[in-house]
Amino acid sequence: MVWASWTTTGVFAGPGGAHTKEAGIVSGDLTVHTTWDGRQADVTVQYSGTSQWFTLSGSPVPCASERDSRQLHQGVVEAVRAGGATVPGSGQP
């Protein structure tokens, strides 16, 4: 099975935070994690230093390659820093 994952810690959420399925909007110092299973990417966030993960709105998203999933992860990190984040390209508001 093909898979890859990336984690970026210390991502401070901009105005509007990150939109999650389970907790609504989360803000502050976050950790962003992306897992790619060869077909799709799952993106989650957590308050840095805690153990509970929240699914970012728009996740999972189809993702054809490991390279694309890495670029998606970086796009999510940038979106969280900008605020009002969902998974880029997912069609979620």
Side-chain angles (χ1 to χ4, degrees):
M1 175 177 214
V2 175
W3 71 274
S5 68
W6 295 272
T7 303
T8 303
T9 60
V11 180
F12 193 82
H19 296 251
T20 70
K21 293 179 180 179
E22 300 87 358
I25 297 172
V26 296
S27 60
D29 184 6
L30 304 175
T31 296
V32 178
H33 181 77
T34 303
T35 303
W36 176 68
D37 68 3
R39 297 176 294 109
Q40 66 183 14
D42 293 293
V43 184
T44 56
V45 297
Q46 72 177 177
Y47 290 105
S48 292
T50 66
S51 61
Q52 187 171 9
W53 290 95
F54 304 107
T55 306
L56 196 63
S57 294
S59 180
V61 62
C63 204
S65 71
E66 183 176 342
R67 180 179 178 184
D68 290 346
S69 64
R70 176 65 181 105
Q71 290 173 342
L72 174 72
H73 175 80
Q74 188 58 42
V76 169
V77 168
E78 292 168 10
V80 170
R81 287 182 176 139
T86 61
V87 175
S90 68
Q92 295 290 312

